[in-house]
Amino acid sequence: MNSEFEMFDFFDHSPDLVCIADKDGYFKKVNPAVVAKLGYTEEELFSRPVKSFIYPGDLDITNQERAKLLKGEALHNFQNRYVSKQGDILWLEWTSLYFSDREIVFAIAKDITARKLAEIEIEEKYKRFKSLATHFKSRIEENRKYLGIELHEELAQLASVIKMDIDWINEHETGLHTNSKSRIEHALVVSEMLINAARRISFSISPNILDELGLNAALEWHCKEFSILNSIPCLFEAEYDETALTHEMKLDFFRICQESLMNVIYHAEAKKVIITIKEDGNTIYLSITDDGKGFDQHQLKASPGLHSMIERAASIQGQLKIESEMGKGTTITVIVAK
């Protein structure tokens, strides 16, 4: 059998792991790099099936890829873990070919342990930072919710009591001077405005409807409120499965819409706004489009509001895009994978 592999002797000096295995899954020839990396002698490597050297957690995926290989599908850059004789775990990246006429597998592997450990460390740091960011965001929303409740339950109710008292005086004190009567009527109007403002700010700070009825209901209500208060028609269109969104995604979508509509009020000079949420395969698209004056994207300034939208999109693994032209309005799009 060894004579069949003499043509591969030039691989003996390769720093990569080079080996030949038979169809039954046993090593038939290995270069010195295999012996050095795994710590086994050639006799030990040849006496046991290859799978016995593979890290147990990678056996299933390795068997699946090996089955494809034996059917003639070449293996490129396949990564799995091996366990050395000393118990060390090695990450190897394989490129393999199966020669059906000889029923042998020729494979070359690179030791990518250092790179893989660095990737894992970066991923773990990312998870920790994301968890921390999510925690801070949750705390902020909890504080917002508390403040919203205080505004609605305390301030708005107190203002309602004041309005009731003023209303009672207006109805029962018939001998009031004309100026006093006028001031009382003015106070009634202002107190009603105060109640509505408290309720509106409460919703803006913490939209309970989002938790109770969902994102679609919250955005529909917000669009109607925006239209009434600013005399700018705001339409909401939805063609997606809302249940596919996490609570965090719903909240960030809502906050991005809030910030975008604020920009419309203060900067766009728009006559119409359309908010749409659509899905295409595994991707969700949120778009806020206005027909306002637009701007030169090369002169776009990184405002706190823009930073907030970008950060919220990034926190849900999304991407925020802004498209605008002078005189042709602006479209803000958030693209997120489900």
Side-chain angles (χ1 to χ4, degrees), residues 195-328:
I195 293 168
N196 291 334
R199 289 172 177 168
R200 186 174 66 253
I201 295 170
S202 172
F203 176 85
S204 177
I205 292 173
S206 180
N208 289 331
I209 191 174
L210 182 64
D211 294 328
E212 295 169 2
L213 300 178
L215 178 62
N216 289 348
L219 286 177
E220 285 176 1
W221 190 95
H222 194 42
C223 280
K224 289 178 182 177
E225 188 80 357
F226 177 88
S227 300
I228 293 170
L229 294 175
N230 301 286
S231 300
I232 302 173
C234 181
L235 305 177
F236 174 64
E237 301 174 353
E239 296 180 12
Y240 75 110
D241 178 12
E242 184 175 340
T243 61
L245 271 61
T246 64
H247 181 267
E248 184 183 6
M249 292 170 68
K250 293 177 185 179
L251 182 59
D252 285 330
F253 273 18
F254 182 82
R255 293 299 186 201
I256 289 170
C257 287
Q258 273 188 313
E259 189 64 45
S260 297
L261 291 178
M262 289 295 291
N263 288 337
V264 170
I265 294 172
Y266 292 115
H267 306 294
E269 299 179 10
K271 296 180 180 178
K272 183 178 180 181
V273 184
I274 300 176
I275 297 175
T276 62
I277 305 179
K278 298 182 180 180
E279 64 180 325
D280 182 9
N282 292 322
T283 306
I284 299 286
Y285 297 88
L286 164 67
S287 296
I288 305 99
T289 301
D290 69 67
D291 62 354
K293 63 181 182 180
F295 58 86
D296 183 351
Q297 289 189 244
H298 295 96
Q299 298 180 358
L300 177 63
K301 296 181 180 179
S303 65
L306 178 58
H307 271 305
S308 175
M309 289 192 288
I310 293 173
E311 288 172 0
R312 283 189 175 275
S315 73
I316 52 176
Q317 285 76 56
Q319 181 182 8
L320 186 138
K321 293 184 177 180
I322 300 176
E323 297 176 350
S324 186
E325 288 186 41
M326 296 294 294
K328 295 186 179 181

Side-chain angles (χ1 to χ4, degrees), residues 1-10 29:
M1 179 67 71
N2 287 339
S3 61
E4 297 180 14
F5 308 130
E6 289 178 355
M7 61 179 294
F8 299 108
D9 284 347
F10 66 94
K29 185 176 178 64

